[in-house]
Amino acid sequence: MSINNTELSTTSFFQSDVWLFTIYIVGTFEFIFWLCNGFLIIIELYDFPSIDKYRIQKHKKKLRFQPDVTQLMIKQTIRHQISTVFLAPLLYYLLNYFGHLDMQGPRPAWSTIVYQLVLFILSEDAIFFWTHYLFHIPWLYKTIHKKHHIFKQPTGVVSVLSDPIEGLQNQLAVWFMPVLLKEKHIFTVCIWIVIRVYQTVNAHSGYNLPYVSTQYWVPWIMSGTLAHDFHHQHGKWNYGSFFNIWDRIMDTHRLSIATTTEKEVD
């Protein structure tokens, strides 16, 4: 009887919404994460003059010539990949704790999807800015945030490499609004993952590629690769996520003098 109960419980799990949620969330994350980073790895391993001209830190060697840094990236990336699988089910229960996550119902109206995504972006941007700003208080920076700033020449995978406490801060910013919303759909959540992962991988890419960066289209309001790469180089300024509005309010918006005349940097 115990064997049958075990088999029944195993079968029930693999037919459950939490298992389906884990597949959707991890699958969506991994697809967009490695699609973007696969491209960045290729242009890191091989030289393409038409692309290399967009490298921001041209004065430094490519990462393939920095084995200590790349080995650290590989080690921490593997650790992050494993943790993603185990944390996904917890996210399912959090999303259902304050409301309801629709897993199998019809897709919401596009107006609802867009409205919720705007809420997600605005919430994430505000929370990320202020928590990130706090992490640059000297003792928090030294204890926690410096582990992310080891990578002064970032590339896409660096977007997920940090101290576990900072990892929680990032997840708080990403999931605060989705958790609080009473009704949400897995389709909307997956789109949100695509947007957020693309945005943060692009911000850490190390390449100011045309057309693919939000900063290319609306530089007066959107943060982008230039802003965040400058943040990694100097360990300060440009604390925002999607937008640079909070940075402008707090007078922490800076860009390299090699690429802008907006503000000179000492």
Side-chain angles (χ1 to χ4, degrees):
M1 180 65 70
S2 61
I3 295 177
N4 290 335
N5 286 339
T6 302
E7 290 177 351
L8 179 61
S9 124
T10 304
T11 303
S12 298
F13 173 77
F14 285 106
Q15 293 177 345
S16 65
D17 279 354
V18 64
W19 173 247
L20 189 62
F21 173 84
T22 301
I23 293 175
Y24 280 144
I25 295 302
V26 175
T28 302
F29 174 85
E30 296 296 339
F31 176 78
I32 190 65
F33 183 80
W34 289 112
L35 180 66
C36 296
N37 280 299
F39 170 75
L40 293 173
I41 290 171
I42 290 172
I43 63 176
E44 193 64 47
L45 292 175
Y46 304 98
D47 297 323
F48 300 94
S50 60
I51 298 177
D52 287 345
K53 66 182 179 181
Y54 295 111
R55 276 186 69 215
I56 297 173
Q57 299 189 42
K58 296 187 184 72
H59 58 288
K60 295 182 180 179
K61 295 183 293 184
K62 278 193 167 185
L63 292 170
R64 71 173 186 263
F65 301 114
Q66 303 178 48
D68 292 342
V69 175
T70 54
Q71 286 299 316
L72 181 60
M73 286 182 182
I74 292 170
K75 180 180 178 180
Q76 292 191 12
T77 300
I78 293 173
R79 188 179 304 161
H80 174 269
Q81 294 288 285
I82 295 172
S83 67
T84 299
V85 176
F86 288 100
L87 290 175
L90 175 61
L91 178 59
Y92 170 82
Y93 291 109
L94 286 174
L95 288 168
N96 280 288
Y97 184 79
F98 291 98
H100 173 249
L101 174 66
D102 190 346
M103 288 296 302
Q104 303 185 35
R107 173 183 59 78
W110 281 107
S111 57
T112 301
I113 293 172
V114 171
Y115 167 72
Q116 291 187 347
L117 289 174
V118 169
L119 288 180
F120 296 169
I121 290 171
L122 293 176
S123 171
E124 191 279 340
D125 187 71
I127 295 173
F128 182 89
F129 175 87
W130 288 107
T131 53
H132 188 192
Y133 189 85
L134 288 174
F135 270 133
H136 278 263
I137 293 174
W139 69 273
L140 283 176
Y141 180 87
K142 183 178 180 181
T143 307
I144 299 172
H145 193 45
K146 190 175 181 180
K147 295 175 183 178
H148 181 66
H149 273 277
I150 289 174
F151 307 105
K152 294 186 177 295
Q153 186 181 348
T155 189
V157 297
V158 170
S159 61
V160 297
L161 308 185
S162 62
D163 183 272
I165 296 177
E166 183 177 352
L168 290 175
Q169 168 258 327
N170 288 330
Q171 295 307 308
L172 170 66
V174 172
W175 295 111
F176 179 80
M177 185 58 67
V179 165
L180 287 187
L181 274 183
K182 185 175 181 181
E183 293 292 336
K184 46 261 180 177
H185 194 281
I186 186 63
F187 184 79
T188 310
V189 171
C190 286
I191 293 178
W192 171 228
I193 291 172
V194 170
I195 292 172
R196 180 65 180 107
V197 172
Y198 177 81
Q199 183 270 335
T200 189
V201 170
N202 179 64
H204 289 86
S205 68
Y207 287 79
N208 186 34
L209 295 170
Y211 308 114
V212 300
S213 172
T214 53
Q215 192 175 49
Y216 176 84
W217 297 102
V218 279
W220 59 90
I221 194 173
M222 303 294 289
S223 293
T225 313
L226 280 177
H228 201 69
D229 197 278
F230 195 68
H231 175 79
H232 270 265
Q233 287 187 62
H234 299 276
K236 53 184 176 179
W237 300 312
N238 303 327
Y239 302 106
S241 176
F242 283 91
F243 306 104
N244 57 41
I245 297 173
W246 292 110
D247 278 304
R248 291 183 184 277
I249 292 174
M250 297 299 293
D251 194 31
T252 54
H253 180 62
R254 301 289 191 279
L255 294 176
S256 170
I257 57 175
T259 54
T260 184
T261 58
E262 181 177 355
K263 245 181 189 181
E264 292 199 357
V265 183
D266 52 20

